[in-house]
Amino acid sequence: MDPGTVTAPLTKQTVTTKGTWNSALMAVGDTVIVDYTDLENSSFSGYQLKKVRYTYKLLATTHYSGKVIFQAIADPTVTSYTHIYNKDGKTQSSFEMEMTVQFFDASGKELIPTAENYALTSFASINSFEGQGEFVGKYNGTFLPINGSTITVQNDYALNHSNTHQEALVADWDSETSPDAYIGAIVGKSTERIRFTFGNTNGFADWFAFNSDIKVKGGILNPPTPPIAPTFMSRPVKPKEVQEPQAILTPIILYHRNKVVPKPVTPKKTVTLQQTPTVKVTPVTPQVAHPITIIYTYAKPTKSIQTSIGTTVPTYVPLSPTKQIVVSPPTPTKQNKPIQKKEITSSKTD
C-alpha cells in the first residue's frame, strides 16, 4: 500500500488486540508505543519479564508523502514491518525509525541492563549490499559482529558494506526460523536502556526483527579495537647556539698616594728687653705653641685616557693642601699697674 494513498486522518488512539497485527500511518515526528503483556517465557538476569515495551519514532523519510505505514507484529521477537512502497513501482524511498526497548517485571518495575547485568540481543533481517539497503545504527551499546555474517559496522551503522550478495551465501537465510539468519544479523551488548535506529536507505519495505534469539555459526567475533591515536610529538627545537667563552676582564685598580712633607719651622729669635732699675717688670707666662691643623684635599680626576683593551683609566692631579690655623687666645694675667711696652720688631711676620 502506498502511504500517499491513505486518506484516513492521523488520530491518537489505543488499540488492544491478541494474536493480530496492528497498523499505523506515521508522519515524521510521530510516535507509536507497542506493549506486549502477559509474557510467559521471558526473563532477564533471573527476573521474570511480564511486559516489554517498544517505542517507535519516525525520524525521517524521503517518500513524497512524508509518511510511512508501520505494522506492529503480534510476536515481539518478529517485531515489525515498515512500508514505503510507491505506486509507480520505484523503490528509491528511504526512512529511519528510532526504537527504544524497556523491560518490566511482574510488579511493573523496569529492569534496566547494567555493566554487571548486561543484555545480549540480536538485530536481524538486515538486507543490504555495498552499504545500501536495510541497516541498524546509532546504537547506545556495543555492536558484536557474528563470525560468517555479512553485517559489519562503519560510521556507527551496521549493514552489508561488502560487494557480496547475501543470497549468494545462503539462499533462504532471511527467515525467523532459518538457522542461517546470522548472514544478515549482528549482536548488540547493552549496559543501559536499549536505544537504536533502523531503516532502509533504498527500498520499498523493511522487516526488522529484535530479540534475544541469537543465531550464530562459529561464534561471536571480538568487537573491533578502536585505533589509538599516536603520541603527539612536537617538532624538535634547535638548541641555542653556545657562544665562544670570553676571558673575564681583569679590573685595573689604581692607587694614588700623597706624601706630605711638613715645612720646617724656623725658631723664633729671643729678644732681651732692657730693664730699668726703677721699673719692676712682671714676667709674662710664655704662651704654649698650639698645633696647626692641616686639612688635605684628595686628588680628583681631570680627564680619562682610552687604553688598548677598552678600559678607561683616569689621571689625577694633586691639589695643594689647605691649611687651617687655629690659635688659642692668650691667658690674661693680673697686673697692679699697666706696663708700658716697647715696640717689638721681628724679621718674620707671624
Side-chain angles (χ1 to χ4, degrees):
M1 181 180 291
D2 181 4
T5 63
V6 179
T7 58
L10 295 174
T11 59
K12 182 178 180 180
Q13 57 180 317
T14 301
V15 178
T16 302
T17 60
K18 184 175 182 179
T20 61
W21 294 20
N22 290 280
S23 301
L25 181 64
M26 298 179 65
V28 175
D30 287 346
T31 299
V32 172
I33 300 175
V34 182
D35 288 343
Y36 295 91
T37 59
D38 297 329
L39 303 180
E40 297 178 357
N41 301 315
S42 300
S43 64
F44 173 68
S45 296
Y47 294 91
Q48 185 181 14
L49 295 181
K50 297 300 292 182
K51 182 176 78 171
V52 61
R53 170 174 289 178
Y54 297 159
T55 301
Y56 303 90
K57 181 178 180 180
L58 183 61
L59 300 180
T61 180
T62 59
H63 193 269
Y64 71 92
S65 66
K67 301 173 184 148
V68 299
I69 296 176
F70 173 77
Q71 290 179 293
I73 300 176
D75 186 344
T77 64
V78 186
T79 318
S80 68
Y81 266 114
T82 305
H83 298 268
I84 51 175
Y85 177 73
N86 196 307
K87 62 182 179 181
D88 59 7
K90 294 182 180 181
T91 58
Q92 297 179 353
S93 298
S94 65
F95 79 95
E96 185 170 15
M97 186 85 73
E98 181 185 68
M99 181 175 178
T100 304
V101 180
Q102 295 173 272
F103 303 123
F104 299 90
D105 62 8
S107 63
K109 179 182 178 181
E110 182 179 1
L111 302 176
I112 302 177
T114 63
E116 294 77 18
N117 298 320
Y118 55 85
L120 291 178
T121 57
S122 173
F123 308 112
S125 185
I126 305 175
N127 289 271
S128 51
F129 175 71
E130 291 186 338
Q132 297 290 323
E134 298 173 352
F135 64 86
V136 177
K138 300 178 183 179
Y139 176 41
N140 65 346
T142 303
F143 282 121
L144 303 176
I146 301 172
N147 188 20
S149 173
T150 61
I151 306 303
T152 58
V153 182
Q154 291 185 18
N155 300 324
D156 203 24
Y157 283 90
L159 65 159
N160 181 14
H161 294 278
S162 70
N163 57 2
T164 300
H165 289 282
Q166 294 162 315
E167 289 76 10
L169 299 176
V170 178
D172 56 352
W173 66 270
D174 195 13
S175 168
E176 67 268 21
T177 59
S178 173
D180 299 318
Y182 69 92
I183 293 295
I186 193 169
V187 177
K189 179 180 179 180
S190 300
T191 57
E192 57 183 312
R193 181 183 293 167
I194 303 172
R195 182 178 290 106
F196 55 89
T197 64
F198 68 91
N200 196 333
T201 61
N202 185 14
F204 64 89
D206 181 12
W207 167 44
F208 175 71
F210 173 82
N211 53 54
S212 61
D213 184 15
I214 301 173
K215 296 180 174 64
V216 298
K217 188 174 184 179
I220 299 175
L221 299 178
N222 293 326
T225 302
I228 301 175
T231 304
F232 175 76
M233 298 181 64
S234 59
R235 186 175 297 178
V237 180
K238 183 179 179 181
K240 293 183 179 179
E241 185 177 355
V242 179
Q243 297 182 353
E244 190 174 331
Q246 298 180 357
I248 300 175
L249 297 177
T250 303
I252 300 176
I253 302 174
L254 301 179
Y255 295 91
H256 186 78
R257 182 177 181 182
N258 290 337
K259 184 176 180 181
V260 179
V261 180
K263 197 172 184 180
V265 180
T266 305
K268 295 182 179 181
K269 293 182 179 181
T270 303
V271 180
T272 304
L273 300 177
Q274 295 181 359
Q275 295 182 358
T276 306
T278 59
V279 179
K280 183 179 180 180
V281 178
T282 303
V284 180
T285 304
Q287 296 181 0
V288 181
H290 295 276
I292 299 175
T293 303
I294 301 175
I295 300 176
Y296 296 94
T297 304
Y298 290 98
K300 59 182 179 180
T302 58
K303 63 180 179 177
S304 301
I305 300 176
Q306 190 73 19
T307 63
S308 60
I309 60 173
T311 304
T312 303
V313 181
T315 59
Y316 298 85
V317 176
L319 301 178
S320 300
T322 302
K323 295 183 180 181
Q324 182 177 356
I325 303 174
V326 180
V327 180
S328 300
T331 304
T333 58
K334 294 182 179 181
Q335 294 183 357
N336 296 329
K337 294 181 181 181
I339 299 175
Q340 187 176 3
K341 293 183 180 181
K342 288 187 179 182
E343 189 177 291
I344 300 173
T345 61
S346 176
S347 60
K348 280 285 186 177
T349 303
D350 290 341

